[in-house]
Amino acid sequence: MTNNNKRPPPAHPQERHRPLPSQQPKPIEDEPAAAEALRAILDSQSYREADEDVAFLQGDATRGVRLQLDYLKAETMLRRHNVAHTIVVFGSTRIPEPRAAQRAVAGWAAAAAANEGDADIPLRLAASRRI
């Protein structure tokens, strides 16, 4: 093997012949727009951390993550309060309060009387009565 094929040794992690750019930034006179450009970068939505970007978190792409967070939050709160067992009760938003249900039946009954030829109204009246 000849000397031309040898690679140089890696640079020492602390000792350098020349400082890195971050260790010796340019003077403001060399780059007068640098401060404004840096401010624009830091203010950009793309620079914001994902967990602090509410618009990103509320998007369609993160729906699954939000559901996971909802379950994790509930589980964390239950553990924090030493709740070992729970009971889940499922309800329906289709079942209105009794007075609202009675108004719906009356409304569909009136619509059925006024529109005898409409085949959809008797179906809605029957569903309203069942609910």
Side-chain angles (χ1 to χ4, degrees), residues 16-125:
R16 300 190 173 277
H17 296 291
R18 287 175 285 173
L20 292 171
S22 63
Q23 295 169 326
Q24 189 177 18
K26 288 182 185 180
I28 192 72
E29 301 85 34
D30 290 353
E31 195 70 49
E36 185 178 328
L38 179 61
R39 191 174 312 108
I41 290 169
L42 295 176
D43 290 344
S44 170
Q45 287 183 351
S46 63
Y47 189 79
R48 197 174 310 142
E49 293 284 336
D51 63 336
E52 295 177 2
D53 189 345
V54 175
F56 169 73
L57 290 173
Q58 291 177 342
D60 287 341
T62 55
R63 179 174 286 132
V65 174
R66 287 194 311 272
L67 287 172
Q68 289 175 328
L69 287 171
D70 285 342
Y71 287 119
L72 179 62
K73 181 179 178 183
E75 185 68 25
T76 302
M77 294 301 291
L78 291 171
R79 285 185 182 162
R80 182 177 297 158
H81 295 287
N82 296 316
V83 176
H85 304 284
T86 61
I87 297 172
V88 178
V89 178
F90 292 96
S92 175
T93 59
R94 290 190 63 198
I95 301 175
E97 294 178 348
R99 288 185 184 153
Q102 291 167 356
R103 280 195 307 272
V105 169
W108 286 116
N115 302 296
E116 291 181 14
D118 190 336
D120 188 49
I121 293 176
L123 297 174
R124 293 186 180 268
L125 175 59

